[in-house]
Amino acid sequence: MMGGETANGRNKYAVLDPSDEPELDAAGSQGQRRPSASERKSKERFVFACAIFASLNAILLGYDVGVMSGAIIYIQKDLHITEFQEEILVGCLSVVSLLGSLSGGRTSDAIGRKWTMGLGAIVFQTGAFIMTFAPSFTVLMIGRLLAGVGIGFGAMISAVYIAEISPAAARGTLTSLPEICINLGILLGYVSNYAFSGLSEHINWRIMLGVGILPSVFIGFALFVIPESPRWLMMKKRVPEARAVLLLISESEDQVEERLAEIEEAASILKSTKSEDKAVWKEMLNPSPAVRRMLYAGCGIQMFQQITGIDATVYYSPTIFRDAGIKSDQELLAATVAVGFTKTVFILVAIFLIDKVGRKPLLYVSTIGMTICLFVLGIALTLQKHAVGLVSPRIGIDLAIFAVCGNVAFFSIGIGPICWVLSSEIFPLRLRAQASALGQVGGRVSSGLVSMSFLSMARIISVAGMFFVFAVISTVSVAFVYFCVPETKGKTLEQIEMMFEGGKEWRGGEVELEDTRHLIQSSKKSVPLG
């Protein structure tokens, strides 16, 4: 019996006025009035608005990535920081935001999803304020660390909030909004760099960083508009409030009662699962062949997303373009705007195609395209250094801009968004949270290492040499996709599990119905993975 049902089969969360008789529908049977088309549209718009407000946290992350690429030029001139300090300042955000994300889970369970977003906004505002008025590198780093924690808090919980507030039919689209907002934030950061680059070196970078406070202010206002997550309210046994929220976002009272019962059942399962966390980690440290394949695919794709150099390309695009031959700071920042615009446009292409074309074809296009662009970028930078007079400087500059834009475009088409999709699909339910967290740790640490070592390594082997290294790694990522990543489009969780269990051919083979039946039968005799 479902947790939300009583002995007579009626949902215990149903709230009916005793004086009211059940209405008759068009067929004359008992039922509730169906909402009109305008009412459904209004509810859809409300859910979409909640998702947009929650996604503002992702804009903070993207804006910081984008704006720091240009602001660092003037920070270096104003505060006279060293190359090592520049690397630490740029790269520390990935590691610190991860710490914020890991601690945000407990905080959101304690004070609620939306107030955790509010806390993240306050911490970020404090950090951004300190950075804006920082008189030295030490104070700037303090502000940067606080901003990173705030971003980590908000970015982690916004995706959870959107998933919990969204109806099942729209969850895929709405949970993709943070990824779009990250790219939009990067573009806004680049535009901010260009817009304020004409001011004095003591003022412009401070305004660039200070503008990042604005999205967090909007988040503060949004907290008075968006409701709390109904799942969290149910966890706290605040059933009337949860029901009120679900009435705002669900099509009918029947659907509200069903979702209340489902949430209660899921919460009871979650409580029993928490006692098994140690066993889950033990299983991941000593995995079965099937779980090992899942970890290779899920954690590997997150690491390849970062070690192919995307953060180095985004953070240090002005450095790349200067090495390509662009001299003016304003021209450097104008070129980065083109990079941000390209990255934002192509993430929309990926979201449109991912369920139509499939994961693996997009990953092939992405990794092969990135490999070509990274090689071309390395060649363009090499020609600018060692073939002066043989190639027009303008050709080298245009080729470098084209290669950087191509690299971020191919990243956004495939490996950028798809790594998150795969992480949510391939792991069984009991391992999903911990395995995804493990993959995220690997990805964030990889991002930090790349960002914090790029300039030092470039000094040793040159900027062109670094992109040849990234190109080689990207070539390996093509092989990784071929051998380790299955196609999951259109497959049930049972079929995906069967592929990992049986080590089936992943390069175009379809899952047979006979295999699925065999899996279902065998799962009755053992603990299922899904």
Side-chain angles (χ1 to χ4, degrees):
M1 181 173 67
M2 294 268 300
E5 294 181 355
T6 57
N8 62 6
R10 285 185 57 189
N11 192 295
K12 71 182 181 183
Y13 298 115
V15 179
L16 298 175
D17 188 337
S19 65
D20 290 342
E21 291 296 327
E23 297 181 7
L24 298 180
D25 60 17
S29 59
Q30 287 187 354
Q32 293 177 335
R33 182 182 68 84
R34 292 180 178 275
S36 66
S38 62
E39 289 174 330
R40 287 197 299 270
K41 286 289 184 184
S42 176
K43 290 175 184 288
E44 290 171 3
R45 284 194 293 267
F46 178 73
V47 174
F48 184 76
C50 291
I52 287 290
F53 281 132
S55 298
L56 289 174
N57 282 292
I59 290 183
L60 291 178
L61 175 58
Y63 182 84
D64 187 276
V65 170
V67 78
M68 187 55 73
S69 67
I72 196 68
I73 298 173
Y74 303 105
I75 292 172
Q76 194 175 35
K77 294 177 181 179
D78 186 30
L79 300 183
H80 308 290
I81 63 176
T82 66
E83 189 176 85
F84 176 73
Q85 289 174 324
E86 181 181 347
E87 287 180 321
I88 296 297
L89 184 64
V90 169
C92 70
L93 184 80
S94 295
V95 178
V96 175
S97 64
L98 176 62
L99 296 177
S101 295
L102 294 175
S103 60
R106 288 185 177 274
T107 304
S108 69
D109 284 344
I111 66 174
R113 312 311 194 210
K114 76 171 188 176
W115 295 115
T116 300
M117 288 189 280
L119 176 62
I122 292 171
V123 175
F124 176 84
Q125 285 176 335
T126 304
F129 183 83
I130 292 172
M131 287 193 293
T132 301
F133 296 98
S136 65
F137 173 76
T138 301
V139 177
L140 186 63
M141 275 298 300
I142 293 172
R144 180 78 165 158
L145 294 175
L146 282 173
V149 171
I151 287 173
F153 263 108
M156 183 281 297
I157 202 59
S158 61
V160 174
Y161 175 84
I162 293 170
E164 292 181 350
I165 202 76
S166 304
R171 188 172 294 125
T173 300
L174 294 178
T175 51
S176 67
L177 287 175
E179 184 68 23
I180 297 174
C181 287
I182 287 174
N183 287 273
L184 179 60
I186 291 173
L187 175 59
L188 292 175
Y190 285 156
V191 171
S192 176
N193 288 338
Y194 182 73
F196 300 113
S197 61
L199 301 177
S200 72
E201 293 171 359
H202 182 66
I203 297 295
N204 54 10
W205 66 268
R206 300 177 187 276
I207 296 178
M208 292 172 188
L209 298 178
V211 168
I213 296 174
L214 293 178
S216 60
V217 173
F218 288 123
I219 293 171
F221 286 118
L223 296 179
F224 297 97
V225 177
I226 64 176
E228 182 54 87
S229 160
R231 182 175 292 273
W232 183 81
L233 291 170
M234 285 292 290
M235 285 172 57
K236 297 299 181 181
K237 303 188 184 303
R238 292 158 60 174
V239 178
E241 294 174 64
R243 190 176 195 282
V245 173
L246 288 172
L247 283 171
L248 293 173
I249 62 177
S250 303
E251 290 190 358
S252 66
E253 288 197 14
D254 283 341
Q255 190 180 82
V256 169
E257 292 154 16
E258 288 173 8
R259 290 186 68 179
L260 283 170
E262 289 169 359
I263 291 171
E264 185 188 46
E265 184 178 31
S268 64
I269 292 173
L270 182 62
K271 287 179 182 177
S272 64
T273 302
K274 284 183 177 179
S275 63
E276 302 173 5
D277 280 353
K278 291 184 179 178
V280 168
W281 281 108
K282 183 178 179 181
E283 181 179 359
M284 287 198 297
L285 292 174
N286 186 26
S288 65
V291 172
R292 185 179 298 112
R293 295 185 191 105
M294 293 173 185
L295 291 171
Y296 284 158
C299 298
I301 197 71
Q302 295 225 30
M303 292 188 67
F304 273 110
Q305 185 199 49
Q306 297 300 327
I307 61 178
T308 47
I310 188 61
D311 277 2
T313 305
V314 173
Y315 273 126
Y316 297 111
S317 51
T319 301
I320 296 166
F321 293 138
R322 183 184 289 114
D323 211 60
I326 299 178
K327 304 300 182 185
S328 164
D329 286 345
Q330 282 196 309
E331 287 183 22
L332 287 173
L333 299 178
T336 63
V337 172
V339 175
F341 180 79
T342 303
K343 199 172 189 300
T344 303
V345 168
F346 279 89
I347 190 68
L348 300 176
V349 175
I351 289 169
F352 178 74
L353 292 178
I354 191 168
D355 286 321
K356 297 180 182 295
V357 175
R359 282 64 158 152
K360 201 157 183 174
L362 286 180
L363 282 174
Y364 280 135
V365 170
S366 177
T367 52
I368 293 172
M370 287 170 61
T371 300
I372 294 171
C373 290
L374 289 166
F375 269 118
V376 170
L377 181 56
I379 291 169
L381 296 176
T382 301
L383 290 176
Q384 289 294 84
K385 289 290 185 181
H386 303 290
V388 179
L390 298 177
V391 179
S392 167
R394 189 69 249 175
I395 292 177
I397 291 171
D398 291 343
L399 188 61
I401 294 174
F402 174 80
V404 172
C405 289
N407 184 46
V408 299
F410 282 116
F411 176 88
S412 294
I413 281 178
I415 198 169
I418 289 176
C419 87
W420 306 111
V421 176
L422 282 173
S423 294
S424 67
E425 290 178 330
I426 64 175
F427 293 115
L429 180 60
R430 73 174 187 280
L431 301 179
R432 188 167 296 141
Q434 291 90 334
S436 296
L438 183 64
Q440 189 178 23
V441 168
R444 289 293 88 199
V445 171
S446 299
S447 170
L449 290 175
V450 169
S451 300
M452 290 190 284
S453 64
F454 179 81
L455 292 178
S456 298
M457 293 300 298
R459 180 180 290 276
I460 299 171
I461 64 174
S462 78
V463 176
M466 283 300 298
F467 283 99
F468 283 128
V469 171
F470 290 141
V472 171
I473 296 173
S474 188
T475 303
V476 176
S477 74
V478 179
F480 170 81
V481 170
Y482 183 80
F483 288 108
C484 296
V485 179
E487 176 56 76
T488 57
K489 178 181 81 76
K491 291 180 172 62
T492 65
L493 294 178
E494 290 82 8
Q495 290 172 332
I496 295 172
E497 178 187 341
M498 185 272 295
M499 288 190 294
F500 285 103
E501 281 283 356
K504 290 288 185 182
E505 179 68 42
W506 292 345
R507 298 180 289 277
E510 288 298 323
V511 179
E512 299 293 338
L513 181 61
E514 194 72 27
D515 294 327
T516 306
R517 287 174 179 165
H518 174 72
L519 174 67
I520 294 172
Q521 289 172 359
S522 64
S523 68
K524 295 177 181 177
K525 302 176 184 178
S526 60
V527 179
L529 280 172

